[in-house]
Amino acid sequence: MGIELELQLLDAKTLDLTDGIMPLIEFFPGNELVKPEFIQSCVEIVSPVAEDTPSAADQLLDSLRKVKRRCDQLHMRVCGAGTHTFGTRLALITPNPRFLQMKSDYGIVGRNQLTFATHVHVGMPSGNMAMFVMRHLIPCLPVLL
């Protein structure tokens, strides 16, 4: 299994979204567990592939502590919420080739997509088992969402 957290980057004083991924990510060169996301006001923290939830959570918490320390130095905060409560401006897109292509493909829609998510990836031994599990999870989706 693996976990991904997409966290909001906030200005420490105003708590508004801030385009802080570029200075933040400089502190984590080559780190595959702390990454930029599509918009510059988001940082993604991921766990390595783990055998169980506690192992994934331990790595995630270690990375989160490091990100929070660097954010403090940059006068930023992180927030784990699906959307920002009062942010209204268009997002700036992170300048890497993949995201710039997405910006070209999505246009203004991409710059309005100010959402932040948590993803849990669970490995399955086969496609048939994945379909079996999904059929049983579908009734639970409203509660999970």
Side-chain angles (χ1 to χ4, degrees):
M1 71 165 299
I3 304 169
E4 299 176 15
L5 298 177
E6 296 173 358
L7 301 172
Q8 299 175 30
L9 295 174
L10 306 177
D11 178 276
K13 289 183 183 175
T14 66
L15 299 182
D16 200 357
L17 291 170
T18 189
D19 300 315
I21 192 59
M22 300 311 287
L24 176 62
I25 209 69
E26 287 177 8
F27 188 73
F28 300 95
N31 186 327
E32 291 296 315
L33 304 179
V34 179
K35 305 176 181 185
E37 250 304 330
F38 181 60
I39 58 176
Q40 290 189 40
S41 56
C42 182
V43 61
E44 181 178 70
I45 301 174
V46 301
S47 73
V49 174
E51 290 295 319
D52 55 39
T53 305
S55 300
D58 286 346
Q59 181 61 55
L60 221 50
L61 287 172
D62 182 57
S63 293
L64 179 59
R65 283 185 202 98
K66 292 173 184 172
V67 166
K68 287 177 68 176
R69 274 195 301 270
R70 181 63 174 159
C71 282
D72 284 345
Q73 295 169 352
L74 296 169
H75 309 289
M76 292 190 296
R77 300 290 179 262
V78 293
C79 175
T83 59
H84 189 267
T85 57
F86 60 86
T88 57
R89 65 180 177 79
L90 294 176
L92 286 181
I93 307 306
T94 303
N96 80 24
R98 176 174 167 245
F99 297 143
L100 293 174
Q101 181 60 53
M102 289 169 59
K103 176 184 175 185
S104 175
D105 292 345
Y106 301 144
I108 194 75
V109 173
R111 295 191 63 208
N112 279 312
Q113 188 66 27
L114 296 174
T115 59
F116 307 83
T118 298
H119 305 267
V120 178
H121 302 272
V122 180
M124 295 284 154
S126 69
N128 286 339
M129 178 58 76
M131 294 304 295
F132 174 82
V133 170
M134 280 305 300
R135 277 196 304 275
H136 287 83
L137 280 175
I138 287 172
C140 302
L141 287 178
V143 173
L144 293 173
L145 292 172

